[in-house]
Amino acid sequence: RLVDLAGIEPSALAREIEHSGQQVVHNWRQQFTKTGSFIRASWKARQCAPQQGRDVLEMAAGLSTRSAALLLAGVVLAWGTNWPVTKLIVHDVTPLWATALRCMIAAAALAPLLWMQGDFIIPRRGDLPVVFCTSILHLVAFSALVAIGLQFVPAGRAIVLGYTTPLWVAIGAAMFLSEEITRRRAIGIGFGLAGLAVIFNPQTLNWGDRNALFGSCLILVAAFCWAGNIVYVRAHRWIS
């Protein structure tokens, strides 16, 4: 492989190496299937991954498959219980205040932890637009719209609508990042859109109930905001 790259100018060589690393990261699932080991697959990806993705892979390198599965289950449980808890909170606190309190608690908990680990980073000027974008579209718009929508929509329906985000990310990445919509992605998008059609079917959603329709649309807009932020972050090259 290195012999094939001989004679290529440095910038082109860097792009080629980065592309190779991205291919390994994108094919991480195949590596996991072949090796049967979370550690080996993450190590393989870390060795070839671009620098901006290595930090995340470093965190995963020391995990066994069982530990990774337990952490994933913990994340699913935390994210799942967050919605009914938020629905309870907005009965007594306004949605914007609920969002503000959520962000303040997270900042107060994570900032000292990152500082002690030496991972507290002040963004450089070139990274500020994407930081502000994440703050506005994800932390504020998504959280606030979901909190408002939960006042009118059951938590179970809200979760399904809110986590349609991957559908819009796949479509947005194809439109703005020229990412290919593979056959599997197309099938997944098709099933997801079919699920949305079922949710908004007049037999399952009373279109005469304007509050329920308003709340459902707000949470769908929240999913759009989160997806837009993810696409923008993926297109950004970090400096910090």
Side-chain angles (χ1 to χ4, degrees), residues 78-93:
W79 280 14
T81 55
N82 172 60
W83 292 71
V85 168
T86 301
K87 186 172 180 65
L88 291 174
I89 291 174
V90 294
H91 283 303
D92 301 314
V93 181

Side-chain angles (χ1 to χ4, degrees), residues 1-6 8 13 16-17 19-20:
R1 182 68 172 162
L2 292 175
V3 173
D4 294 338
L5 297 176
I8 300 178
L13 179 59
E16 179 69 19
I17 293 173
H19 176 71
S20 300

Side-chain angles (χ1 to χ4, degrees), residues 133 136-138 141-142 145 165 220-230:
C133 177
I136 294 170
L137 290 182
H138 188 190
F142 178 82
L145 289 172
T165 298
L220 205 54
V221 171
F224 292 155
C225 291
W226 190 6
N229 176 69
I230 291 173

